[in-house]
Amino acid sequence: MKRQSISFTAPNDEWLKSQIDSNEYSSKSELVNDLIRQARKQQRQIDWLRVKLEKAEKSGFTNESKAQILAASKSLLNG
């Protein structure tokens, strides 16, 4: 694993410490890595929605049913 040195504002550092103190995470590194994973997943979801919206705007219509769109959305959210 690559090591990095980062600085946190006091409120963010306190929040990180509280997450570790509550045994949610064993270290700041674990927590920061989890937050990055969540942000990356969220970005993939946003990108997917953007593509779908752009396609819909260009075509005006979709051949997918509501159920198919919902299933695809749920599948993406569940990673």
Side-chain angles (χ1 to χ4, degrees), residues 53-64:
L53 288 171
E54 288 172 358
K55 182 179 175 185
E57 287 174 351
K58 288 178 185 174
S59 70
F61 296 97
T62 181
N63 293 327
E64 294 178 333

Side-chain angles (χ1 to χ4, degrees):
M1 234 188 256
K2 189 167 182 165
R3 294 183 56 88
Q4 298 285 323
S5 175
I6 58 175
S7 300
F8 299 107
T9 61
N12 287 344
D13 190 51
E14 289 301 317
W15 183 83
L16 290 169
K17 287 178 185 175
S18 73
Q19 297 301 302
I20 294 165
D21 291 345
S22 68
N23 294 319
E24 288 292 320
Y25 296 91
S26 62
S27 68
K28 287 182 184 178
S29 292
E30 181 186 356
L31 174 52
V32 170
N33 275 304
D34 189 43
L35 291 171
I36 292 169
R37 277 190 293 276
Q38 290 176 37
R40 291 173 66 194
K41 181 179 180 181
Q42 183 180 38
Q43 188 60 54
R44 285 191 305 272
Q45 294 167 349
I46 291 168
D47 293 344
W48 180 83
L49 286 171
R50 183 175 289 120
V51 167
K52 288 298 232 181
L53 288 171
E54 288 172 358
K55 182 179 175 185
E57 287 174 351
K58 288 178 185 174
S59 70
F61 296 97
T62 181
N63 293 327
E64 294 178 333
S65 69
K66 290 179 187 178
Q68 289 171 315
I69 294 169
L70 181 59
S73 298
K74 286 182 178 181
S75 172
L76 180 65
L77 290 173
N78 294 326

